[in-house]
Amino acid sequence: MNNAAGSLKESIKHLPENIKGSVIRRGEGSPDQKRAATVFGNLFLHVHPVRVHANTLRAGYTLGLGLISLYLFLILVISGTLLMFYYIPSTEMAYNSMKDLEFVVSFGLVLRNMHRWAAHAMVFAVALHMCRVFYTGSYKAPREFNWVIGVCLLMLTLLLSFTGYLLPWDQLAFWAVTVGTNMAAYVPWIGDDLRFMLLGGSEVGQMALIRFYVLHIVVLPLFMAILVGVHFWRIRKDGGLSRPLTD
Ligand code: HEM
């Protein structure tokens, strides 16, 4: 009885450090090996390699533009999810739900503007990131495939921006999407079908709104999340970030 009570007391005493040890695993061996094992054993840390080239750490090389794009995407996902609690994708209610958000919901205006400005900033950051990749010649072998993934990410960013534009259902949104989808009709051979498919009909109405909504909140963000994962995985497989050959 004494023994059992003693070991129970011991277990309770060591509970916090046992829990910590099972969540944050540390390795055995030399300090270097320990650090490596800690990185391998942690979901968040293992995104980074254990060792990186010094050039990769130079802030002036990447200007952090890829990560800025990622963080803006995360801000958009979080603020977009919150916006979904208030927004109603119906031609009769969409505009009013945006106005409610601005004038009735606490911090609604902040939420809406956060989403709007992060969206503009993401287009800007992704475009600048692409310029940086081009300027440093990082599209060359073995990174050509990642460049192609990047082009798809740019397309997705622009499509997200375009589909989101219709949702407030104000005059600006209506006419911008009317012009945008009319432009799609000029694509050779498939133009008219493409416009019909985008709008779910021949004019910008309820069918178009629901199509743009589903594309904006499910389809495009899902593709974006998958491709961002592939993009980061490719960076690792291509031997980390590009660097001067002489280094
Ligand atoms: C959602 C959009 C994007 C995100 C979140 C993203 C994220 C990143 C991140 C975090 C890096 C690591 C280096 C850095 O921060 O610059 C990177 C590298 C890279 N990105 Fe992107 N990227 C995006 C779009 C693009 C686009 C549009 C292109 C080009 C068309 C591109 C091509 C590349 C290439 C080739 C690399 C490797 C660069 C090197 O080795 O120096 N990415 N990306």
Side-chain angles (χ1 to χ4, degrees), residues 61-70 73 122 126-127 129-130 132-133 136 138-139 143 146-151 153-154 157 224 228 231-232 235 240-243:
Y61 187 67
T62 62
L63 301 170
L65 289 165
L67 279 183
I68 291 174
S69 310
L70 174 73
F73 178 59
M122 185 171 168
V126 171
H129 169 60
M130 189 173 174
R132 187 292 285 176
V133 170
T136 54
S138 311
Y139 54 85
R143 295 179 178 80
N146 218 10
W147 173 265
V148 176
I149 301 277
V151 173
L153 286 173
L154 177 70
T157 309
M224 179 76 100
V228 166
H231 196 54
F232 290 174
I235 295 173
L241 293 190
S242 57
R243 53 183 173 269

Side-chain angles (χ1 to χ4, degrees), residues 19-213:
I19 292 177
K20 192 175 162 213
S22 72
V23 178
I24 304 165
R25 307 203 174 196
R26 305 212 178 269
E28 306 285 326
S30 71
D32 248 15
Q33 287 169 323
K34 271 189 196 155
R35 278 193 215 118
T38 308
V39 171
F40 285 137
N42 185 296
L43 175 69
F44 300 103
L45 291 181
H46 98 281
V47 171
H48 280 285
V50 171
R51 284 171 193 279
V52 290
H53 193 277
N55 190 69
T56 304
L57 303 176
R58 268 179 45 211
Y61 187 67
T62 62
L63 301 170
L65 289 165
L67 279 183
I68 291 174
S69 310
L70 174 73
Y71 295 142
L72 286 168
F73 178 59
L74 295 180
I75 292 176
L76 284 161
V77 171
I78 295 167
S79 57
T81 308
L82 293 175
L83 283 176
M84 281 167 67
F85 284 112
Y86 300 102
Y87 177 79
I88 305 161
S90 122
T91 50
E92 266 143 42
M93 300 175 81
Y95 183 71
N96 286 339
S97 62
M98 297 314 292
K99 288 288 142 198
D100 271 357
L101 195 75
E102 274 181 30
F103 298 112
V104 183
V105 178
S106 317
F107 298 106
L109 186 62
V110 177
L111 185 63
R112 184 177 177 203
N113 278 335
M114 255 175 75
H115 197 73
R116 253 187 120 86
W117 283 103
H120 294 319
M122 185 171 168
V123 173
F124 194 57
V126 171
L128 284 181
H129 169 60
M130 189 173 174
C131 294
R132 187 292 285 176
V133 170
F134 183 75
Y135 178 69
T136 54
S138 311
Y139 54 85
K140 294 180 195 166
R143 295 179 178 80
E144 313 95 313
F145 180 58
N146 218 10
W147 173 265
V148 176
I149 301 277
V151 173
C152 297
L153 286 173
L154 177 70
M155 290 299 137
L156 283 174
T157 309
L158 295 178
L159 282 173
L160 271 164
S161 208
F162 183 60
T163 49
Y165 211 75
L166 182 64
L167 304 186
W169 203 251
D170 51 10
Q171 286 292 313
L172 194 64
F174 183 86
W175 293 109
V177 171
T178 304
V179 172
T181 47
N182 278 345
M183 280 161 68
Y186 284 99
V187 174
W189 300 300
I190 54 161
D192 285 333
D193 292 334
L194 190 66
R195 181 171 188 277
F196 191 84
M197 198 179 78
L198 275 173
L199 295 182
S202 43
E203 56 189 31
V204 182
Q206 179 61 60
M207 287 310 286
L209 181 59
I210 203 76
R211 257 168 214 224
F212 274 51
Y213 180 67

